[in-house]
Amino acid sequence: MCGIVGYVGHRSALDVVMGGLRRLEYRGYDSAGVALPHEGRIASAKKAGKLVNLDGILAEHSLPTVGSGIGHTRWATHGAPNDRNAHPHLDAGSRVAVVHNGIIENFATLRDELESSGHEMLSETDTEVVAHLLRDELDRTPVASSDEAEGTALPDAVRAVCRRLEGAFTLVITDAEQPDVVVGARRNSPLVVGRGDGENFLGSDVAAFIEYTRDAIELGQDQVVAITSDDVVVTDFDGRPAETTEYHVDWDVSAAEKGGFDWFMLKEIAEQPQAVADTLLGRHSAAGLLQLDEMRLSDDELRNVDKIIVIACGTSFYAAMVAKYAIEHWTRVPCEVELASEFRYRDPILDRSTLVVTISQSGETMDTLQAIRYARQQRARVLSICNTNGSTIPRESDAVIYTHAGPEIAVASTKGFLAQVVACYLLGLYLAQVKGTKYGDEIGAIIAELERIPAGIQRLLDDADQVRTLAAELVDSRSILFLGRHVGFPVALEGALKLKELAYIHAEGFAAGELKHGPIALIEEGVPVFVVVPPRARDQLQEKIVSNIQEIRARGARTIVLVEDGDDDVVPYADHVIRLPEVPTLLQPLVATVPLQIFACELAGLLGHDVDQPRNLAKSVTVE
Ligand code: F6R
């Protein structure tokens, strides 16, 4: 959601900003714009639609070549996604330009106040009030009066305005009278600083500037940052120097490019063996002892945990469902799973011995963040599983397990999901180790099975042609169903979600045992049904699902069965068989999900959809 870029340095700001916006496209947006300070006025261009539309008008506007500027991709919240509401927003005299991510909750009051003092608003956005407030503030704050360290009044003005704003906001601002500085502010929405040599950057995430630097600074809550070409100054909203954390990004620009694939999603599906292997890497000793470096909770604290609640949204929620099966089985600690958007509204029972685990690829999902804040207020410990270093969710958690999937650019999560599932297993095994509910050699054996998974995924990727052919055969389907049992149930839900979000066709996932309680009424002649068959090791489950397959086949369903190598019991009832490598039952989601991802991606491509940026969706959902 909303991508922001700011730059000051020796390059053409327009080039840097447009390049940064391109790398942030994956966040999802519906309009875009840029602003550059030039000869005492802001030169800007903005346009509804994709960046290619903005490119189209940049030539007409002949924007100047200057060394500082800001840019934005907007995901509409207040006001329709049209040219007028696109960012940047300017004050009446075109002196300042503002871009914003988040929602300013008191904007109506501020807007009334500004209008009654003669300001005319040109858009329906909450953001525009900031440009007007800033202009008033700048007129009140002569440059000479500003603090020496920054040598400019713009940070003072931004701080004064921020103190008046309620809600969530990342703001980035340029002032035509002070072109050597770009100022950012952050409350609840993401913003990171990139430190270059004779140049500095601001971005919604590091992808915005990864081409130029991998040295980044995390900003905390309620901080204002002023960047010039050779300095970065961070304060709180009252101007007091603020503490920040510097870090080095462990992936480079090539990880954020398509590398020969048609879609980022295809590349990310192909990177899954690596994502799984990297997430396991360095987390256990040769003796099989697990070591989680970022586990900031002591063993004593973990031993006292008597309830676990795993919270997440969307695909990450399905990883949470898998976590429940594994954690309860290995630790015997009760584990609940809850949608982040529901959690804090139901008065959950939490105390010091509850461990709340949140799962988020982006680390910025607002529903999940608010759930964390609520849990911590109730004195629960919070551990986050996250793929994005420096993002808000791990920063606000007591402990973190990072997944090492690398940047996930396609809106639909794939490698992020598999890496989350691995991190959930690591957490479950670590708890089992600390609580003594599993012997070391049992943990070692599961780790050894996990280490074999990347090869299994690779085999599925190598055999993907049959899944592609199947997608071509089913391209005209109006509805596709997915069934699973045990950990196959979240896999079915994930298969259905991928298809809905990418192919825009009706898809639903069910627990296979629930079929007879209602959903079986959906089965009619020819409806495709994917069935995830549990490994033979779970013979009870396996027998039951074989009956489920018979039931739907008898009613005309076209059955596509995902079943492990060597299991032929279901073959007589399958119209199509997709073979899975043999793995322990609890680990099956790591392989069974892969053909479903490929199927959804292929089918969406055949329908001519934008696979990486499906309609109406954003990568980081930073509003509730
Ligand atoms: C689906 C998808 C979304 C995310 C959800 C949570 O493919 O990507 O459902 O899983 O928005 O996002 P994170 O994990 O960033 O909190």
Side-chain angles (χ1 to χ4, degrees), residues 403-455:
T403 52
H404 296 300
E408 194 177 63
I409 308 289
V411 166
S413 186
T414 53
K415 62 176 180 170
F417 172 72
L418 257 55
Q420 287 168 346
V421 172
V422 171
C424 292
Y425 295 145
L426 289 173
L427 173 63
L429 293 172
Y430 190 77
L431 288 171
Q433 176 177 290
V434 170
K435 284 179 167 277
T437 51
K438 282 261 166 236
Y439 292 115
D441 55 347
E442 292 174 298
I443 294 173
I446 301 168
I447 295 284
E449 291 288 357
L450 278 168
E451 285 181 327
R452 280 193 274 277
I453 295 281

Side-chain angles (χ1 to χ4, degrees), residues 313-316 360-362 365 411-413 420 497-498 501 621:
C313 304
T315 287
S316 302
S360 175
Q361 190 286 130
S362 63
T365 301
V411 166
S413 186
Q420 287 168 346
L497 178 62
K498 287 285 96 80
E501 61 184 338
V621 185

Side-chain angles (χ1 to χ4, degrees), residues 502-582:
L502 297 171
Y504 319 148
I505 61 176
H506 173 251
E508 280 195 70
F510 297 109
E514 273 296 291
L515 208 61
K516 54 190 176 296
H517 300 292
I520 199 160
L522 292 171
I523 305 294
E524 57 188 18
E525 197 56 38
V527 66
V529 184
F530 283 78
V531 187
V532 183
V533 179
R536 279 161 301 174
R538 302 301 296 264
D539 46 357
Q540 269 188 333
L541 284 175
Q542 221 241 7
E543 280 165 24
K544 294 267 168 2
I545 211 148
V546 173
S547 326
N548 298 140
I549 297 171
Q550 286 171 295
E551 281 157 18
I552 54 171
R553 190 104 181 300
R555 289 164 177 79
R558 177 170 179 177
T559 54
I560 301 127
V561 172
L562 290 89
V563 62
E564 72 178 357
D565 290 332
D567 180 353
D568 293 330
D569 291 356
V570 289
V571 173
Y573 315 108
D575 293 300
H576 193 101
V577 175
I578 297 174
R579 288 293 181 184
L580 302 176
E582 279 184 74

Side-chain angles (χ1 to χ4, degrees), residues 331-411:
T331 68
R332 310 313 295 152
V333 178
C335 179
E336 296 169 15
V337 182
E338 179 114 21
L339 288 169
S341 53
E342 293 291 324
F343 174 68
R344 69 191 174 116
Y345 299 105
R346 68 157 174 99
D347 197 13
I349 301 164
L350 304 166
D351 60 30
R352 200 78 188 141
S353 50
T354 310
L355 178 66
V356 168
V357 177
T358 65
I359 307 178
S360 175
Q361 190 286 130
S362 63
E364 300 294 348
T365 301
M366 188 54 83
D367 289 316
T368 311
L369 181 59
Q370 295 299 358
I372 288 180
R373 290 180 179 161
Y374 179 86
R376 294 192 77 193
Q377 275 162 14
Q378 308 297 309
R379 302 179 61 243
R381 302 288 190 178
V382 175
L383 179 146
S384 62
I385 291 175
C386 184
N387 195 43
T388 312
N389 209 307
S391 58
T392 310
I393 286 175
R395 215 177 30 241
E396 295 204 13
S397 303
D398 298 300
V400 56
I401 300 177
Y402 279 111
T403 52
H404 296 300
E408 194 177 63
I409 308 289
V411 166

